[in-house]
Amino acid sequence: MTYEELILKLKDRLAADGAYPIQAQAMLSTQILKDKLELVLPWAMEASGFDFWLVLSRENNDDPIHSTLVTWDMLEARRVSILAFHRDSKTGAVRRMCVGSQSPEMDGLYENVQQRGESVWEATARILRECDPSRIAVNRSLNSGYCDGLTATLFEQLKDAIDPCYRERIEDGEALSVRWLERVTSLEKKIMECFCAVTHAIIDYTFSTDFIIPGKTTTTDIEWCMRRIINELGYNYWFGPDVDLQRRGSNVSRMFNETIQPGDLLHCDIGINGQYVHLHTDMQWVAYILREGETEAPQELQALLDTGNRFRQIVMDSMVIGKDGNAVFDEAMRLAKLEGIQPMLYTHPVGTFGHGAGPAIGMYTNQGFVAGTGERVIDEDTCFALELNVYDNLACWDGQRVFMYLEEDICRAAECDYIDGHQTKLMLL
């Protein structure tokens, strides 16, 4: 496949789900937000026990959650923007209010409650008196940056503006904001499938002889090709992408900016996200560069990939709804070691953010108990980047320790399954 053919194929794939071109992606993002406000927000407020949520954001210093609650034509707060949500305990309905400037697209989703002559602070104080909530959530958190977007200045201004009785009802809203970010709708699942398929196609092209010439192409060349493809589609990459390799005779487990040679084990880590659609992918695949005369990779390398896939299944089987991330980590690691696997596990939620909201299941730098985020429980309709590695000392590489770094996007719904398949065989070049 030529580069031009790839771009046309990917544009067609995105367009089929309304995610290309950029105008279609913008319209899609509005529908996703509408669904989430109607389906996820009432549940999140009820489950967390809050009947009021204040999201305050300041121009040039936005609360990360603010962007997930506004439409595509309001890329950032204007001066001071305040969103207020009040859940009626009798009906369960959520009143969605905006204080301050809002965009045209926002008019269909929010009620502008600021009256003529009122400041944003006077309007906020008034609606609190009118709604008289018992528990008020604001975006402060010790555990997660995306739940900690309320600035110190705005918090002081808020407290100065509202009646003393409501100051006493303000609480850190992590329990609410995590639920808002974590749960995906059926439409979001469908778009995640599309984004995952596009990410796989980018890997397929850049990890092939259509692009790689052993002895000439470098890992850095692949990284820039991945970036170019993503940019041509009008999408973003939220890290890297990173491409590295392992080589027989080297004690470096991830070699960057290297010319690719026959016999190398090539690895990538890539994730895309939309310009307007707040969904992210995160994947790691591996390929083997055949030596002269070889038609297959050394059996031990494929066996190590098979071991990695067995570990992936163990982890998914352990991801039981209601179990916290630390418990999943402990069980999966214990069962893997009983089978003789040498594992590392560092799985994280993915979706609205790349390192998303929900339970952490181990961390690369902490193969043990994870305070805070590891104590969150597995819930329905959450996407995860199933990230891990297994390693072994391989005779085919003279006893050298070789790592199989793997990552694939999954969804924990009624069951736990891959969103768009996963790697079962080494890619061969």
Side-chain angles (χ1 to χ4, degrees):
M1 180 184 298
T2 67
Y3 180 87
E4 291 74 18
E5 289 170 338
L6 171 72
I7 296 299
L8 289 174
K9 174 186 173 183
L10 295 184
K11 287 180 178 179
D12 287 344
R13 179 66 181 85
L14 289 164
D17 282 320
Y20 183 87
I22 194 69
Q23 183 177 356
Q25 187 191 149
M27 297 303 103
L28 174 62
S29 71
T30 299
Q31 185 58 53
I32 289 174
L33 175 58
K34 184 175 184 291
D35 284 357
K36 292 206 72 166
L37 289 171
E38 293 177 353
L39 301 173
V40 176
L41 183 59
W43 162 81
M45 294 188 74
E46 180 181 21
S48 59
F50 288 104
D51 58 340
F52 208 89
W53 189 18
L54 279 171
V55 180
L56 298 87
S57 199
R58 188 177 185 183
E59 190 170 354
N60 299 320
N61 193 18
D62 279 78
D63 181 335
I65 287 181
H66 182 260
S67 66
T68 74
L69 288 162
V70 296
T71 50
W72 62 270
D73 60 341
M74 193 167 179
L75 292 178
E76 61 178 27
R78 298 175 184 174
R79 306 299 187 264
V80 173
S81 295
I82 300 174
L83 302 176
F85 305 90
H86 178 231
R87 181 179 180 274
D88 187 311
S89 59
K90 294 179 180 178
T91 66
V94 176
R95 183 185 179 191
R96 308 190 297 260
M97 296 167 278
C98 176
V99 180
S101 298
Q102 66 183 49
S103 68
E105 284 281 315
M106 292 277 285
D107 288 342
L109 298 177
Y110 287 89
E111 170 191 358
N112 194 326
V113 295
Q114 187 175 0
Q115 297 176 354
R116 183 182 295 274
E118 277 187 323
S119 71
V120 293
W121 302 112
E122 290 168 339
T124 301
R126 176 177 53 79
I127 61 173
L128 281 171
R129 287 193 294 269
E130 291 174 359
C131 297
D132 192 28
S134 57
R135 295 184 65 202
I136 304 168
V138 296
N139 292 339
R140 300 199 314 169
S141 168
L142 288 172
N143 294 311
S144 300
Y146 42 70
C147 299
D148 191 37
L150 178 59
T151 67
T153 301
L154 287 180
F155 191 39
E156 292 304 316
Q157 288 180 288
L158 174 65
K159 289 190 294 183
D160 288 344
I162 64 178
D163 297 347
C165 64
Y166 297 115
R167 291 179 210 151
E168 298 172 0
R169 302 178 196 181
I170 293 175
E171 302 178 41
D172 294 354
E174 180 184 304
L176 168 55
S177 53
V178 166
R179 286 182 170 91
W180 162 253
L181 296 171
E182 179 181 11
R183 176 159 289 192
V184 293
T185 63
S186 58
L187 177 56
E188 286 180 299
K189 290 180 195 174
K190 178 183 177 183
I191 302 306
M192 277 294 288
E193 290 176 10
C194 175
F195 285 10
C196 286
V198 168
T199 308
H200 283 148
I202 295 171
I203 297 170
D204 287 342
Y205 174 79
T206 55
F207 271 30
S208 75
T209 52
D210 288 335
F211 182 74
I212 293 175
I213 303 173
K216 180 178 179 181
T217 307
T218 69
T219 56
T220 305
D221 293 335
I222 300 175
E223 292 171 345
W224 279 108
C225 183
M226 288 177 166
R227 294 182 187 114
R228 180 184 171 195
I229 294 168
I230 295 166
N231 284 334
E232 285 206 32
L233 297 175
Y235 279 70
N236 304 319
Y237 43 90
W238 62 277
F239 66 90
D242 300 318
V243 179
D244 57 89
L245 58 83
Q246 295 175 77
R247 177 171 292 158
R248 183 177 178 179
S250 172
N251 61 1
V252 179
S253 62
R254 296 187 66 184
M255 301 171 65
F256 291 92
N257 197 25
E258 288 284 336
T259 300
I260 298 164
Q261 301 290 352
D264 288 343
L265 186 65
L266 192 63
H267 162 263
C268 71
D269 191 352
I270 177 175
I272 70 169
N273 60 289
Q275 181 71 28
Y276 297 126
V277 173
H278 300 290
L279 291 171
H280 298 67
T281 65
D282 195 0
M283 299 176 185
Q284 296 180 48
W285 280 54
V286 286
Y288 177 73
I289 314 302
L290 295 167
R291 294 177 178 272
E292 186 176 354
E294 286 183 324
T295 58
E296 296 290 339
Q299 190 276 333
E300 284 182 292
L301 288 177
Q302 177 60 47
L304 190 57
L305 174 58
D306 294 341
T307 299
N309 277 320
R310 172 58 188 150
F311 185 36
R312 290 206 267 207
Q313 189 60 53
I314 290 171
V315 176
M316 288 195 291
D317 290 343
S318 301
M319 293 174 66
V320 177
I321 290 174
K323 185 185 296 185
D324 70 38
N326 289 318
V328 174
F329 175 87
D330 289 342
E331 178 177 307
M333 293 291 283
R334 178 180 62 83
L335 293 175
K337 290 175 181 178
L338 284 175
E339 294 188 17
I341 298 171
Q342 301 182 86
M344 289 182 68
L345 178 57
Y346 34 99
T347 287
H348 59 86
V350 70
T352 308
F353 291 96
H355 290 147
I361 304 174
M363 297 182 70
Y364 189 81
T365 55
N366 180 8
Q367 291 292 283
F369 181 85
V370 177
T373 56
E375 297 173 274
R376 295 174 182 160
V377 300
I378 304 291
D379 207 342
E380 292 182 349
D381 299 323
T382 303
C383 295
F384 289 86
L386 180 59
E387 187 175 11
L388 48 81
N389 74 64
V390 296
Y391 55 92
D392 205 352
N393 298 325
L394 304 186
C396 65
W397 278 25
D398 301 322
Q400 181 176 324
R401 176 164 290 185
V402 177
F403 291 82
M404 195 63 64
Y405 299 102
L406 300 173
E407 186 172 20
E408 199 64 66
D409 294 339
I410 63 174
C411 186
R412 182 61 176 92
E415 296 181 351
C416 203
D417 202 2
Y418 295 101
I419 294 175
D420 186 54
H422 68 292
Q423 182 173 12
T424 59
K425 299 290 183 182
L426 285 170
M427 303 175 76
L428 301 176
L429 282 73

